[in-house]
């Protein structure tokens, strides 16, 4: 399949994932025929710890996935948030190795997926494809490093703001359909801590709560409370994979496209 002959619907899905869009035309021609469309519902588990990783999932548009580590104490902590800039699954590993962390859909939406067996074959055929995904693996590792440092040093308010801004970066949508309980669970802290932070941000008119989530009202002032971890990750992406991390303009366009498909807020008023 040549890039010019890729069906329009598949081409639209590919355009919704920046990592796939970064493929050279000859590599896209190799990969495209094996891509499968898949719809992810909020809360869907792509992988549980120990599961054999049979597919690589590429979030498209507003779709978001979290890598979550489950601790013996019953706590869960998010270690990475993946959107249109990346992929989930055996992106660089050889063979269908077991998953270490839980991969869970946070924001529903479209995905493309590719079997790990096909990916392994394609990487043997194309050094440039293998190199691109290896560079993405470096960015993924950087995100995990940054997350470890952030969780160890920064305040719960800074971490909460960081998560909200990271979600907006990837979707362009100021409506965050995530409950305080869900956010607290991913951060590995008690719900009461997150609730106090959210209430404080409300009093400062930075956000408002809605049924099933929050709506950010003042991005600039909220960004002023951020710990800077998102900016550090963005800089690394630009150094290693220029153009893959979503731009402000791209996020805004994504929000407009999502609005045309689903008028109004994703949450109940």
């Amino acid at each position: 399949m040549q890039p010019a002959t890729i069906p329009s619907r598949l081409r639209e899905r590919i355009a919704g994932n920046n990592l796939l869009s970064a493929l050279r035309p000859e590599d896209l021609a190799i990969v495209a025929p094996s891509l499968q469309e898949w719809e992810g519902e909020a809360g869907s588990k792509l992988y549980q710890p120990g599961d054999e990783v049979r597919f690589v999932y590429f979030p498209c548009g507003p779709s978001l996935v979290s890598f979550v580590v489950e601790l013996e104490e019953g706590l869960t902590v998010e270690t990475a948030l993946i959107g249109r800039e990346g992929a989930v699954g055996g992106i660089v590993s050889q063979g269908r190795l077991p998953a270490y962390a839980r991969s869970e859909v946070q924001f529903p939406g479209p995905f493309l997926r590719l079997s790990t067996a096909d990916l392994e074959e394609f990487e043997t055929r194309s050094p440039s494809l293998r190199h691109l995904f290896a560079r993405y693996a470096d960015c993924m590792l950087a995100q995990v490093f940054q997350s470890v440092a952030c969780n160890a040093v920064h305040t719960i308010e800074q971490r909460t703001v960081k998560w909200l801004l990271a979600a907006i970066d990837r979707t362009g949508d100021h409506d965050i359909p995530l409950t305080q309980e869900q956010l607290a669970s991913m951060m590995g802290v008690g719900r009461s801590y997150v609730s106090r932070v959210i209430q404080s941000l409300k009093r400062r008119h930075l956000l408002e709560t809605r049924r099933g989530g929050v709506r950010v009202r003042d991005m600039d002032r909220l960004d002023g409370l951020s710990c800077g971890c998102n900016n550090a990750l963005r800089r690394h992406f630009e150094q290693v994979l220029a153009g893959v991390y979503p731009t402000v303009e791209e996020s805004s366009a994504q929000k407009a496209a999502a609005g045309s498909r689903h008028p109004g807020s994703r949450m109940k008023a």
Side-chain angles (χ1 to χ4, degrees):
M1 178 184 295
Q2 295 302 313
T5 63
I6 297 175
S8 58
R9 179 181 172 88
L10 179 57
R11 186 182 297 277
E12 180 182 350
R13 284 286 183 263
I14 290 171
N17 180 274
N18 292 357
L19 188 61
L20 288 175
S21 298
L23 291 173
R24 297 168 59 181
E26 54 268 35
D27 290 331
L28 184 58
I30 294 173
V31 171
S34 299
L35 290 172
Q36 306 170 14
E37 294 189 48
W38 186 80
E39 286 291 324
E41 298 294 330
S44 298
K45 308 296 190 295
L46 303 183
Y47 295 109
Q48 295 279 18
D51 285 352
E52 187 177 14
V53 178
R54 295 179 177 273
F55 289 96
V56 178
Y57 292 85
F58 299 89
C60 301
S63 308
L64 283 181
V65 175
S66 289
F67 280 119
V68 179
V69 174
E70 302 172 353
L71 304 177
E72 291 181 356
E73 298 84 356
L75 295 175
T76 58
V77 180
E78 182 188 78
T79 58
L81 183 67
I82 313 299
R84 63 178 296 146
E85 82 288 349
V88 176
I91 194 67
V92 294
S93 60
Q94 298 294 311
R96 293 169 288 184
L97 300 176
Y100 180 77
R102 186 175 82 221
S103 305
E104 181 175 343
V105 177
Q106 293 296 342
F107 291 8
F111 288 74
L112 289 171
R113 70 179 191 177
L114 178 70
S115 76
T116 53
D118 284 341
L119 177 60
E120 185 176 1
E121 177 193 346
F122 298 156
E123 287 185 334
T124 62
R125 292 164 55 183
S126 172
S128 60
L129 180 68
R130 184 169 64 250
H131 182 54
L132 176 70
F133 288 155
R135 284 185 288 152
Y136 173 68
D138 177 272
C139 291
M140 268 289 299
L141 187 59
Q143 185 174 175
V144 174
F145 284 163
Q146 197 72 43
S147 178
V148 170
C150 185
N151 290 344
V153 174
H154 294 143
T155 67
I156 294 176
E157 179 177 89
Q158 288 174 315
R159 291 165 58 194
T160 301
V161 169
K162 181 195 76 168
W163 201 98
L164 297 176
L165 293 175
I168 293 173
D169 275 347
R170 289 161 171 80
T171 66
D173 199 337
H174 290 205
D175 290 336
I176 312 296
L178 200 70
T179 67
Q180 295 176 34
E181 184 174 359
Q182 291 171 315
L183 185 56
S185 177
M186 287 192 300
M187 293 171 58
V189 300
R191 184 188 183 281
S192 60
Y193 292 104
V194 171
S195 179
R196 285 198 290 270
V197 168
I198 295 297
Q199 292 305 314
S200 174
L201 296 175
K202 278 184 65 176
R203 287 193 297 270
R204 286 176 273 175
H205 306 290
L206 301 179
L207 54 78
E208 59 188 69
T209 54
R210 297 279 174 140
R211 184 178 176 184
V214 301
R215 173 176 293 170
V216 173
R217 297 180 59 184
D218 193 328
M219 272 284 293
D220 292 336
R221 289 175 60 206
L222 195 67
D223 188 56
L225 300 177
S226 177
C227 55
C229 288
N230 286 336
N231 291 333
L233 182 63
R234 182 190 295 274
R235 286 194 299 271
H236 189 71
F237 259 89
E238 286 304 309
Q239 291 174 339
V240 178
L241 280 173
V244 169
Y245 200 89
T247 64
V248 173
E249 294 77 15
E250 186 176 43
S251 293
S252 298
Q254 176 58 44
K255 181 179 181 180
S260 67
R261 292 193 298 271
H262 307 290
S265 172
R266 292 187 291 173
M267 303 176 299
K268 297 180 180 179

